[in-house]
Amino acid sequence: MALPDIKTNPEELLKFHTILMKYAPNGYLPFYFVLEIGGKEPKAGISWKKNRKSFEQAIKLMEKGYNIGIAGTDNDALCIMDVDDMNQVPFDQIKPTLQITSRKRIGRHYYYFSLDGSAKKNIPTGDAGEVRSVWYYVLAPGSYVSCDAEDIEAMPEEERQYAGRYTITVERPLSEITYDEFPDVYKRRYEEKKRDDISKALRSVNKQIRKPISPARKEGKLMSALWKLDVGDVSGIGNTGGKRVPMPLEMHSSGSKTGHNCSVDNGKLTCWRHYIVHNAFSYLAVLAGILPCERAGKEHGSSYFGVDMCDGETVYKVWSYAKLHGFIPEDDPIPWSALAYYAISKKVCAKKDIVDGKIPKVFSIVALMIAKKEGLNFGRV
Ligand SMILES: [Zn+2]
């Protein structure tokens, strides 16, 4: 009987583990867990966070062909910088440390320890990769995920022999890292995220004070179909039943393949690359170019979406996009907050005239007349 075609390399995992432990702070134990054979997804049927493996178990699994994941947790010091595209992060901003090259032989994983805790942050960026520190994972060295012809074509020629493999490429002691030592692109993204979080919190406080009704209920009898859209309608992906499928390319910047990092459950679409949940509105906001995936949706564990469904300008743009692309009918009644935005942009009224997103009748009549003159179908008279 022929031996199974095992492409994983347990020796590489052993080498990695030995270096990792040599420079680890006292008491550190890596969080290893099992992934699918040939895949990046956790083994089906059990939450990976509850499926921790010892190093010995991880090696045995890799001998059988399983890929192994490694994560930083909320009570260890591991910090992994996952640089997808070396062109986005200047080399001289990367603190030297143990370096792994990932399967496409273009991206790098840099392993650090954050002893003061300042670098224990998750920072997903649009296309410059991620900092993964708290319950975020990467594939450990020795893992294997095949590459297609296009991936191989894009590789530096000398790397093609390693296509699909995760290997140690710079064998150095693991360095300590602090937040200040991160490359600028991650610090910029983190500061931006902090600002987004503050504005989301302010929005929620304002809403609690004013006790508003939902955007959909504000519409009354003639309601825009925008509020009835399901994320399945706009993404074309039905319930995935716990499985992960490729993210539609339109969601993430083109040029990089998105892998199996999307799932749809209970009318919510999860992006596993950015750990973000989308509803139909935030999904459309990404497609309409208002905010990128990692800023538009709702972070895992958060209650607030990045896009503001009550902001007139945002609603106007999302509604226009949805109409233009046939997600809602051409004669769909414009949401009132969008009409209010339009009226202000046409100087029919001022911002102060709009209370709780409602536009007074006299201004809405004028705004609808102007829209008609401009050849726009606002679906209301
Ligand atoms: Zn995403």
Side-chain angles (χ1 to χ4, degrees):
M1 197 177 78
L3 281 170
D5 186 17
I6 289 175
K7 298 249 175 65
T8 47
N9 182 359
E11 277 169 31
E12 195 73 1
L13 181 61
L14 170 65
K15 190 168 148 192
F16 166 75
H17 182 77
T18 308
I19 302 171
L20 183 69
M21 294 313 286
K22 187 170 172 193
Y23 298 100
N26 275 343
Y28 172 74
L29 269 182
F31 191 101
Y32 292 121
F33 61 100
V34 58
L35 303 170
E36 296 288 356
I37 292 179
K40 293 178 168 185
E41 295 78 47
K43 195 162 184 283
I46 179 167
S47 156
W48 65 268
K49 292 178 189 168
K50 293 183 183 151
N51 199 19
R52 184 176 195 160
K53 301 293 175 197
S54 67
F55 170 65
E56 291 73 21
Q57 289 170 320
I59 281 279
K60 285 215 166 70
L61 284 157
M62 195 173 265
E63 281 167 358
K64 290 180 187 160
Y66 284 100
N67 284 335
I68 294 297
I70 178 169
T73 74
D74 54 358
N75 65 3
D76 71 22
L78 190 68
C79 171
I80 306 163
M81 217 163 75
D82 178 1
V83 182
D84 291 340
D85 181 349
M86 296 302 290
N87 295 323
Q88 302 276 341
V89 184
F91 187 69
D92 60 5
Q93 290 185 19
I94 297 174
K95 188 171 182 179
T97 191
L98 176 67
Q99 177 196 301
I100 272 69
T101 299
S102 54
R103 68 185 189 100
K104 291 190 208 163
R105 314 304 298 173
I106 291 171
R108 306 276 187 273
H109 298 164
Y110 297 91
Y111 283 78
Y112 301 97
F113 285 113
S114 166
L115 299 184
D116 70 356
S118 65
K120 284 296 282 182
K121 291 178 168 48
N122 293 329
I123 313 177
T125 69
D127 45 19
E130 299 89 25
V131 173
R132 300 169 185 257
S133 290
V134 186
W135 296 114
Y136 254 65
Y137 70 85
V138 295
L139 275 75
S143 298
Y144 177 85
V145 180
S146 66
C147 290
D148 62 21
E150 203 182 316
D151 293 334
I152 293 170
E153 183 75 15
M155 266 172 218
E157 205 164 328
E158 65 279 11
E159 291 290 334
R160 289 184 183 157
Q161 56 183 315
Y162 305 111
R165 300 184 187 283
Y166 292 76
T167 64
I168 299 167
T169 36
V170 177
E171 207 176 316
R172 287 183 66 108
L174 274 85
S175 297
E176 183 192 345
I177 197 159
T178 62
Y179 173 75
D180 289 338
E181 292 172 315
F182 281 152
D184 292 342
V185 61
Y186 299 118
K187 286 190 279 191
R188 267 200 310 274
R189 172 68 191 120
Y190 184 72
E191 296 305 320
E192 177 183 70
K193 191 165 162 301
K194 266 202 322 206
R195 284 194 300 274
D196 282 356
D197 288 347
I198 291 168
S199 75
K200 277 185 252 180
L202 283 176
R203 231 158 63 205
S204 101
V205 169
N206 278 337
K207 277 179 194 166
Q208 278 163 18
I209 294 169
R210 286 195 268 118
K211 286 207 180 96
I213 44 178
S214 73
R217 277 188 53 211
K218 268 185 200 164
E219 300 291 305
K221 270 187 212 145
L222 199 57
M223 183 170 89
S224 167
L226 183 64
W227 308 119
K228 299 175 205 158
L229 285 175
D230 182 89
V231 77
D233 300 333
V234 293
S235 65
I237 301 173
N239 199 318
T240 59
K243 288 225 167 60
R244 295 185 188 184
V245 298
M247 179 69 84
L249 278 173
E250 59 203 11
M251 271 301 268
H252 290 153
S253 57
S254 57
S256 69
K257 287 230 201 71
T258 48
H260 286 61
N261 49 23
C262 165
S263 64
V264 177
D265 256 312
N266 284 327
K268 296 275 188 297
L269 180 147
T270 300
C271 165
W272 294 100
R273 174 166 156 199
H274 294 123
Y275 278 50
I276 289 284
V277 176
H278 287 289
N279 59 14
F281 189 87
S282 69
Y283 190 94
L284 284 174
V286 178
L287 299 195
I290 296 169
L291 282 176
C293 174
E294 67 274 18
R295 295 183 66 193
K298 191 167 75 171
E299 275 176 76
H300 266 207
S302 163
S303 317
Y304 311 111
F305 282 87
V307 283
D308 187 352
M309 292 172 75
C310 295
D311 174 65
E313 183 175 359
T314 305
V315 176
Y316 184 82
K317 288 179 178 166
V318 170
W319 176 77
S320 304
Y321 181 92
K323 249 173 53 134
L324 187 65
H325 292 82
F327 294 116
I328 55 179
E330 174 56 27
D331 61 351
D332 184 73
I334 185 170
W336 290 114
S337 60
L339 183 62
Y341 161 75
Y342 178 80
I344 295 166
S345 75
K346 295 292 166 193
K347 303 201 166 33
V348 171
C349 59
K351 224 173 179 175
K352 64 173 172 45
D353 298 318
I354 312 294
V355 181
D356 283 346
K358 282 192 204 112
I359 176 169
K361 184 96 182 157
V362 56
F363 298 133
S364 74
I365 292 169
V366 179
L368 288 169
M369 275 169 48
I370 295 175
K372 202 171 174 187
K373 268 196 182 153
E374 287 190 335
L376 299 169
N377 187 347
F378 279 5
R380 294 184 191 274
V381 283

